[in-house]
Amino acid sequence: MERESLEMDVVFVGAGPANLSGALHLSNLISQHNEKNNNALGEIQIAVIEKGASIGAHTLSGAVMDPRGLAELIPDFKERGAPLEAEVKEDHFLYLTKKRAIRSPINPPPLNNHGYYIVSLNRLTAWLGEQCEAAGVNIFPEFPGAEMLYGENDRVVGVRTGDKGIDKEGKQKANFEPGVDLLAKVTVLGEGVRGSLTKKLIQRLGLDEGCEPQVYSLGVKELWELPDDRYPAGRVTHTLGFPSDQWTYGGGWIYGMQNRILNIGYVTGLDYRDPLIDPHAEFQKFKSHPFVGKLLSGGKFIRYGAKAIAAGGWHAMPKMYSDGVLIVGDSAGFLNAARLKGIHSAIKSGMLAAETIFEALLAQDYSAQTLAGYEQRVKESWITPELRQYRNFHAGFRHGRWLGMANAGLQYITGGRAWGVLDRDHQEAGHEAMQKLSAYGYHGDDVAQRYQDFKFDGQLTFNKVTDVYHAAVAHDEDQPAHLHVLDTNICSTRCAEEYGNPCQRFCPAAVYEMVDVSEPGAVATGSSASNGDPRQRQLQINFSNCVHCKTCDIMDPYQIINWVTPEGGGGPDYKGM
Ligand SMILES: Cc1cc2nc3c(=O)[nH]c(=O)nc-3n(C[C@H](O)[C@H](O)[C@H](O)COP(=O)(O)OP(=O)(O)OC[C@H]3O[C@@H](n4cnc5c(N)ncnc54)[C@H](O)[C@@H]3O)c2cc1C
């Protein structure tokens, strides 16, 4: 197949805050240098590619933004019309029991948000995209990075974008267009959490050697339109407790946006032990709490979304450079889990990458040796003390909620040491924490046990299919599934027996379904046979529901689900999220 090659200088993969900030800063540095030095660097071609249909379409966050990063990138961001919902005026922290909401007299210091801004990251990202375009950066939405391109000695030389117009059998359709090889001196991976190219690059080059495994959470979120001003713009509430059990890391957020829009969500740690946990159902239960339910009563549910969060912190960050490549933002794990904040550090990491690339352009040297300057810049920036202070935050919750909280307090006092003395607390990968049904104490294979008393009422609480509809997800159904399950036999045998097919629960978009495929009178095999159930079940992948949250790639207990990019433009449309 003939493929077009396009020679760029720098290619940024993923148009999130990290890469857009990197592209803008790089473009500004080059323009300033060229103005002062008689156009010494000449025209440098910078491209940003994005898998979503538009810039920001796949961007989902809380979000309360610490403005530190944006203020460094664009000091007059307010005057230039950055879309800010509201300045934070009130911070509340509540502990929820089943029926009560107990207000904490003090706000935990990492959750002090006064002077920060509530934003729709979707809008902010779209705005950053406009700033980039105005500065001459080439932006290509609907262009997923499908494969890294390597030269000699594993040097990264660019990225191949995904083919368009392949049918579900893998054959070319009438509208077939092969992907393009975008060749670059430096490729910057800013794919966000659990980037599909980043994952492979890290594995191939062993960039995570000596690191703790990255651990994740899943944030599930809805926007509601309230009938009155009961929750003002600029009010921030965080909750702990109900409905999470004490072995499950989790908490809720409620942020007041403009025009009486309430932004509400729930985070569940993707290192839970109970194999029957369903993070979407945990969020729905959270809304059924009397305090939250009252807040939403009479309101209208308008949007839904879900996305994973990289929570491992400092000790889980991989080496962020190699020959011809840098990793920025959530792809490198810059998020501070204690503060639930990553926008500011994503922006800063993009800027530090830009400064390193600028230096490399001047030296015409794109080797790992020069690009190592990026990690050095990170070490010398405000990112490092911030992340080191909370370096053992998430690991402490392996010992349960209360010891995790006590540990977080101790770390605050000791500058990040776990249990007051340890520099580094170890954590296992999240999928390894999930226990088998029998080990967790479940009897039989009734996977509805955990939520048997909970019902979706269609008013306050919604099932996954209704929610997914409100994520405005669209994928052309006549394309190969972008969720590759490497061995589907495991699903109907070992996984059914050991974990009760947890993909049906951890996916917040009803992508995975075990369907009954038994022939009348057929003899049962596998787990069905051992428990006397004559039905034969097979995995069905409803890939068109996928909201690109990456949870399946992260949480599958056998690590046999591989998330790859679908045809460009497919996925959710997170307007206003
Ligand atoms: C539920 C939730 C709540 C959060 N709350 C807050 C908060 O209150 N405050 C805060 O500061 N931070 C918060 N964060 C974290 C914050 O959103 C992230 O740290 C930040 O968005 C990271 O920016 P990024 O540019 O690294 O990645 P992203 O914002 O994830 O952007 C990555 C982009 O790359 C694209 N992409 C991915 N792979 C490819 C590919 N192969 N080819 C082309 N395009 C690709 C994606 O579609 C996406 O547009 C929250 C995150 C979540 C999920």
Side-chain angles (χ1 to χ4, degrees):
M1 183 199 303
E2 287 280 305
R3 263 180 212 283
E4 200 186 335
S5 283
L6 265 177
E7 292 246 4
M8 306 299 296
D9 291 291
V10 185
V11 171
F12 289 85
V13 181
N19 262 351
L20 291 172
S21 304
L24 180 61
H25 193 48
L26 179 59
S27 168
N28 289 342
L29 289 170
I30 293 166
S31 305
Q32 285 156 15
H33 180 83
N34 279 348
E35 264 169 39
K36 282 193 204 139
N37 299 284
N38 201 17
N39 205 21
L41 271 174
E43 199 175 332
I44 299 291
Q45 289 295 337
I46 305 171
V48 182
I49 59 168
E50 165 58 44
K51 64 182 164 61
S54 59
I55 304 305
H58 292 182
T59 314
L60 178 136
S61 188
V64 174
M65 179 184 68
D66 175 345
R68 191 172 190 179
L70 188 59
E72 286 185 23
L73 179 70
I74 306 175
D76 55 348
F77 64 91
K78 276 199 238 169
E79 293 73 22
R80 285 174 56 184
L84 308 169
E85 288 290 322
E87 190 175 333
V88 178
K89 295 272 192 271
E90 289 176 53
D91 264 323
H92 301 267
F93 187 73
L94 305 176
Y95 183 78
L96 303 185
T97 65
K98 213 167 168 190
K99 296 260 178 263
R100 294 183 57 208
I102 302 161
R103 183 149 177 202
S104 164
I106 49 157
N107 209 42
L111 293 177
N112 278 337
N113 295 302
H114 267 257
Y116 296 171
Y117 294 95
I118 296 174
V119 296
S120 149
L121 193 59
N122 156 268
R123 291 198 190 111
L124 187 75
T125 307
W127 180 81
L128 279 172
E130 286 163 17
Q131 309 307 304
C132 283
E133 276 185 321
V137 174
N138 304 289
I139 302 216
F140 302 107
E142 297 202 12
F143 271 75
E147 235 178 282
M148 296 301 288
L149 299 172
Y150 294 94
E152 265 177 40
N153 301 324
D154 278 341
R155 184 194 142 69
V156 172
V157 295
V159 67
R160 174 168 296 168
T161 65
D163 296 339
K164 274 196 170 173
I166 306 259
D167 74 11
K168 55 181 172 229
E169 314 295 340
K171 297 199 193 89
Q172 296 179 5
K173 296 191 279 192
N175 63 344
F176 174 74
E177 266 178 51
V180 177
D181 284 350
L182 290 172
L183 304 176
K185 296 173 173 122
V186 184
T187 304
V188 187
L189 292 176
E191 300 178 279
V193 65
R194 190 77 162 196
S196 47
L197 297 181
T198 312
K199 177 176 119 175
K200 282 198 185 150
L201 179 90
I202 289 175
Q203 281 167 356
R204 178 170 172 145
L205 303 185
L207 300 180
D208 58 352
E209 216 177 270
C211 300
E212 293 298 317
Q214 183 56 272
V215 287
Y216 302 86
S217 298
L218 175 62
V220 182
K221 168 176 175 179
E222 288 174 358
L223 294 184
W224 283 64
E225 197 178 312
L226 297 181
D228 51 42
D229 295 330
R230 67 184 77 161
Y231 198 97
R235 179 185 292 171
V236 165
T237 302
H238 289 106
T239 73
L240 189 71
F242 180 86
S244 291
D245 60 65
Q246 82 118 337
W247 294 108
T248 307
Y249 176 85
W253 81 80
I254 308 169
Y255 302 155
M257 295 169 66
Q258 282 176 19
N259 304 319
R260 303 193 316 274
I261 302 295
L262 195 77
N263 162 343
I264 180 164
Y266 200 81
V267 171
T268 299
L270 291 176
D271 48 2
Y272 53 78
R273 298 179 178 192
D274 179 348
L276 296 189
I277 279 190
D278 178 329
H280 167 270
E282 293 289 299
F283 170 55
Q284 299 302 321
K285 271 182 96 171
F286 169 65
K287 286 190 299 169
S288 73
H289 187 279
F291 169 81
V292 185
K294 193 171 159 209
L295 202 55
L296 295 173
S297 73
K300 188 174 155 211
F301 162 43
I302 49 176
R303 291 203 90 75
Y304 171 79
K307 192 163 179 180
I309 302 167
W314 180 256
H315 290 310
M317 292 174 83
K319 184 174 156 195
M320 294 173 271
Y321 64 92
S322 190
D323 289 312
V325 68
L326 293 175
I327 311 175
V328 297
D330 275 10
S331 289
F334 276 99
L335 181 128
N336 179 339
R339 299 178 71 206
L340 187 58
K341 283 188 183 53
I343 301 170
H344 65 305
S345 47
I347 292 175
K348 181 71 178 173
S349 70
M351 292 175 70
L352 297 174
E355 287 161 25
T356 311
I357 297 167
F358 176 65
E359 195 175 84
L361 287 166
L362 291 178
Q364 295 191 26
D365 175 0
Y366 312 99
S367 65
Q369 212 179 357
T370 304
L371 297 184
Y374 169 51
E375 244 179 42
Q376 192 53 36
R377 285 182 167 86
V378 171
K379 285 203 177 109
E380 288 163 7
S381 74
W382 48 257
I383 292 179
T384 293
E386 177 182 331
L387 290 185
R388 277 193 57 78
Q389 168 144 32
Y390 296 106
R391 63 191 179 275
N392 290 303
F393 173 79
H394 189 87
F397 286 90
R398 277 174 13 268
H399 310 286
R401 177 187 298 149
W402 298 115
L403 282 176
M405 289 292 284
N407 187 37
L410 260 177
Q411 287 169 51
Y412 187 69
I413 298 164
T414 60
R417 289 195 178 84
W419 313 110
V421 287
L422 294 174
D423 187 55
R424 177 167 176 168
D425 198 1
H426 293 285
Q427 51 194 12
E428 62 202 330
H431 67 277
E432 289 170 1
M434 193 197 298
Q435 295 186 0
K436 294 182 179 158
L437 285 168
S438 55
Y440 200 78
Y442 286 117
H443 302 293
D445 68 348
D446 178 9
V447 294
Q449 290 172 78
R450 187 176 164 109
Y451 301 101
Q452 58 198 358
D453 298 328
F454 185 73
K455 299 271 171 295
F456 303 113
D457 64 10
Q459 302 286 319
L460 174 66
T461 56
F462 304 98
N463 63 23
K464 286 184 187 173
V465 174
T466 309
D467 263 337
V468 168
Y469 175 77
H470 286 82
V473 187
H475 290 93
D476 182 345
E477 299 215 11
D478 191 14
Q479 66 173 301
H482 64 282
L483 300 148
H484 299 172
V485 179
L486 307 181
D487 179 359
T488 47
N489 284 331
I490 291 185
C491 310
S492 42
T493 54
R494 262 184 82 190
C495 188
E497 203 164 302
E498 293 179 342
Y499 297 98
N501 300 111
C503 56
Q504 298 179 102
R505 295 178 293 281
F506 56 59
C507 168
V511 167
Y512 298 93
E513 209 179 332
M514 293 302 288
V515 293
D516 187 354
V517 291
S518 42
E519 297 281 331
V523 181
T525 55
S527 73
S528 311
S530 62
N531 63 24
D533 181 351
R535 284 172 299 176
Q536 280 296 291
R537 294 194 184 91
Q538 208 178 54
L539 181 68
Q540 176 176 296
I541 303 178
N542 308 314
F543 75 85
S544 53
N545 283 357
C546 177
V547 293
H548 297 203
C549 71
K550 311 284 176 76
T551 302
C552 55
D553 193 288
I554 294 164
M555 202 52 187
D556 170 53
Y558 308 97
Q559 294 291 285
I560 53 170
I561 302 181
N562 199 21
W563 191 102
V564 301
T565 46
E567 193 171 293
D573 186 0
Y574 284 146
K575 255 190 204 90
M577 292 288 267

